[in-house]
């Protein structure tokens, strides 16, 4: 749903089904990921997903969507003041 041709904007939405499948809309970019943590930039800030056996089932950055499988134990957003440094640090992990 682009607002104009230059700046795509998606609705940011999280859908978690039985703590086993997470669908996130409004994803701008994917940072680091492994089976215990996935870091992504969303329209609303840096989102960190923690869990076990996490796996990216589907990623479509053109549509701003990611689907994650595994056991989700927690989700949180990084504070704005740490956002730029935190994301860069996580990319360089």
């Amino acid at each position: 749903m682009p607002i104009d041709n230059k700046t795509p904007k998606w609705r940011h939405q999280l859908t978690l089904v039985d703590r086993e499948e997470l669908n996130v809309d409004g994803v701008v970019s994917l940072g680091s990921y492994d089976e215990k943590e996935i870091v992504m930039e969303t329209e609303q800030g840096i989102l960190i997903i923690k869990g076990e056996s996490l796996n990216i089932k589907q990623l479509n950055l053109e549509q701003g969507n990611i689907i994650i499988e595994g056991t989700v134990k927690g989700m949180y957003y990084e504070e704005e003041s740490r956002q730029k440094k935190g994301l860069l640090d996580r990319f360089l992990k």
Side-chain angles (χ1 to χ4, degrees):
M1 288 183 253
I3 293 175
D4 60 30
N5 292 335
K6 296 178 184 173
T7 310
K9 293 280 184 185
W10 295 280
R11 178 177 176 177
H12 182 57
Q13 179 175 306
L14 304 169
T15 305
L16 180 61
V17 180
D18 295 330
R19 291 181 65 184
E20 294 177 353
E21 184 174 281
L22 176 65
N23 188 335
V24 182
D25 292 324
V27 177
V28 175
S29 65
L30 181 63
S32 64
Y33 62 93
D34 59 32
E35 65 181 21
K36 294 185 182 269
E37 180 181 81
I38 299 176
V39 179
M40 67 190 82
E41 181 182 357
T42 72
E43 294 289 332
Q44 299 294 314
I46 303 301
L47 175 61
I48 299 160
I49 311 297
K50 295 212 176 235
E52 292 179 358
S53 303
L54 297 177
N55 181 45
I56 297 174
K57 179 179 177 182
Q58 180 180 353
L59 174 64
N60 186 332
L61 292 177
E62 288 180 14
Q63 293 182 0
N65 180 268
I66 187 170
I67 299 174
I68 299 167
E69 292 180 321
T71 303
V72 176
K73 292 192 169 189
M75 301 179 277
Y76 67 93
Y77 292 88
E78 279 196 349
E79 296 296 321
E80 289 295 322
S81 61
R82 293 183 52 213
Q83 180 176 339
K84 290 181 182 170
K85 182 179 179 188
L87 182 61
L88 182 58
D89 288 344
R90 290 187 183 277
F91 281 141
L92 299 176
K93 243 183 178 178

